[in-house]
Amino acid sequence: MRLTDAPGPYDEVNVDIQGVEVMGEDGKTVILNVKKGIYNLLELSNGVDVLIATDSLEMSKVTQIRLILGAENTVVLDNVTYPLSTPSAEQSGLKLQVNQSLKEGILYSVLLDFDANKSIVNLGNGGYQLKPVIRTIEKATSGSIKGMITPGVMAVVEAKSTTTLLSYSTNVNENGEFMVMGLPPGIYTITVTPTLPLLPVIKTDVVVTAGLTTDIGILVGL
């Protein structure tokens, strides 16, 4: 989960992020691993964003994201710092409705587009309030490769990118199945290395597409 901003007419808009929760359609809630801290939204505009939370989810659909803010929210205007009251966010968290279906083995990125200009309310008494206006942008950023070998054969599976030369690996399970997850889009060479005396099997030109799982079927030759 990443955070970005639409620019506003302030020197700084600092939000105190303390937690992020994700809720599935069955009501299951996962508390993400969050990089707690105070973020100046105006440093995150014009295509700049920052990673604020990561985790693995065992759910097929995300229905809601809850952003939990702390009490150290401020706005700076003409070099003067004003506290931002956030009563609703402090009590129960800011609820963001989403409708994202998930696929196994795919890395998803959720961008929280925090509109600083619309989120700051001038109370007219010299004070300011934070009523966050946030747009969620969900996208799949990786793909995966799955396949199968002879059941009962122990083997290591390596997926190596032909462009970056980075490699990703996993092991087959007892049924001979494997899935290499979190792969950036591109073309890969798959090498399955079983225990001796069996010889490795190589499959080239495997295409990985973001948001999809490429099934290379049953590999023979082991």
Side-chain angles (χ1 to χ4, degrees), residues 13-148:
V13 176
N14 301 302
V15 293
D16 181 9
I17 295 179
Q18 292 298 308
V20 180
E21 297 180 357
V22 173
M23 181 176 291
E25 59 182 346
D26 57 356
K28 180 181 180 181
T29 299
V30 176
I31 300 174
L32 303 187
N33 294 316
V34 176
K35 294 184 177 181
K36 297 181 180 181
I38 298 173
Y39 296 83
N40 179 10
L41 296 178
L42 300 191
E43 295 179 348
L44 304 174
S45 59
N46 299 320
V48 179
D49 60 44
V50 65
L51 181 68
I52 62 170
T54 59
D55 219 321
S56 298
L57 302 177
E58 295 183 359
M59 57 180 65
S60 60
K61 189 174 183 179
V62 173
T63 59
Q64 187 181 95
I65 296 171
R66 192 161 73 99
L67 182 64
I68 302 171
L69 302 182
E72 302 300 320
N73 304 290
T74 60
V75 59
V76 180
L77 184 62
D78 297 329
N79 295 319
V80 179
T81 300
Y82 301 89
L84 287 170
S85 57
T86 55
S88 61
E90 288 177 1
Q91 292 171 10
S92 61
L94 179 66
K95 297 179 177 65
L96 307 173
Q97 302 301 321
V98 296
N99 186 28
Q100 176 68 57
S101 296
L102 306 178
K103 297 180 181 178
E104 182 184 14
I106 304 301
L107 178 67
Y108 290 86
S109 175
V110 178
L111 184 65
L112 302 182
D113 188 4
F114 207 122
D115 193 329
N117 187 36
K118 295 180 180 178
S119 298
I120 307 299
V121 178
N122 188 336
L123 299 177
N125 58 1
Y128 292 85
Q129 188 174 55
L130 180 63
K131 290 188 175 181
V133 176
I134 302 176
R135 181 170 64 105
T136 60
I137 304 171
E138 307 95 26
K139 62 179 181 178
T141 61
S142 75
S144 58
I145 298 171
K146 72 175 182 178
M148 186 174 181

